[in-house]
Amino acid sequence: DIVLCTGDISNGDCIEEDIQQLITEVNPVKFYFVLGNHDYWNSGFLEIKQQMNSCFSDSWLTSAGCVKLTEEVCLVGEDGWYDGQLGKPFGSGIQMNDWFKIKDFNQCLEFGEVNKTKILDFIKIQAEQSALKLKSKIEFGIAAGFKTFVVATHMPPFADNALDYPYGKKKPTTKPEKSSVYSLPWYTNKTMGDTLTNLAELYPDKMFNVFCGHAHADCTVKHKDNLICSTAYSVYGKPEKSIKVIELA
């Protein structure tokens, strides 16, 4: 058994303490995680990544590599990032808090105003780098003989997994809605989705079970016979609402 968290654990200024608390609470069960966009708030990419590598290199999947769960099943993961490739990034006033709370985005601000062209250029690099790293890990696992891959990432790799609830109605009993064309650029990582789809097509005898976060609605979508992606329901400040028990054969 393992505990797997797909990000948005805390904020950057207290992420180390909060992850350590989670590891302690679930011990002796192994805790693995990727980071979400919130986990970098009040800090920066380099600082948080150095902190994770120093303190949690075996648990942070972006650093851990290919983790053997059984003789046939391995666990891989990358934080990932939304890439602006789906939907319409221009034409709305939507702004992500990330652009003001993560210092790396300062380069994309001009006199305090967002330059979305610079945002798109910057996040494209983040998404491409994470997708390439994930591809390398999976190919290593295939060469090692694994047949099933449990994949963790934060941003939904597919639009169908980026559902959310109507504003003010974030309840399990409320029917979730598809993200609008103006939300999709910041809710999805198409680069990661394309990478996973290509791998599933290239290796039809391998199974890819993908788990993500970021969007808040519970959904599981079968994208190919050997590629399934799940997003868990979540509520800010209530992690117990996001727990799902999953059994993999």
Side-chain angles (χ1 to χ4, degrees), residues 110-227:
E110 297 177 349
F111 304 104
E113 297 294 324
V114 172
N115 183 320
K116 278 194 176 178
T117 299
K118 289 186 176 181
I119 293 283
L120 290 168
D121 290 341
F122 180 69
I123 62 177
K124 182 174 183 287
I125 294 172
Q126 310 309 310
E128 288 177 347
Q129 289 177 344
S130 63
L132 283 172
K133 286 180 64 182
L134 184 70
K135 180 175 182 288
S136 177
K137 292 175 185 179
I138 290 175
E139 289 177 337
F140 178 88
I142 289 171
F146 291 109
K147 297 180 179 179
T148 297
F149 293 83
V150 179
V151 181
T153 190
H154 183 63
M155 314 291 170
F158 307 100
D160 289 345
N161 285 99
L163 306 183
D164 205 348
Y165 295 94
Y167 184 76
K169 298 181 179 179
K170 196 173 293 182
K171 299 178 180 179
T173 55
T174 305
K175 185 177 180 180
E177 300 175 344
K178 289 185 177 181
S179 295
S180 74
V181 293
Y182 297 113
S183 297
L184 274 176
W186 326 116
Y187 277 18
T188 55
N189 183 352
K190 181 179 183 294
T191 307
M192 187 73 78
D194 290 346
T195 296
L196 290 165
T197 299
N198 291 339
L199 286 166
E201 292 174 348
L202 188 60
Y203 301 102
D205 59 329
K206 310 300 180 186
M207 186 68 206
F208 301 91
N209 294 291
V210 184
F211 300 95
C212 61
H214 198 51
H216 293 179
D218 184 20
C219 68
T220 297
V221 182
K222 186 176 183 178
H223 297 278
K224 290 188 171 295
D225 287 343
N226 62 333
L227 175 59

Side-chain angles (χ1 to χ4, degrees), residues 2-15:
I2 65 168
V3 173
L4 176 63
C5 181
T6 54
D8 282 355
I9 299 166
S10 184
N11 289 337
D13 47 5
C14 51
I15 185 69

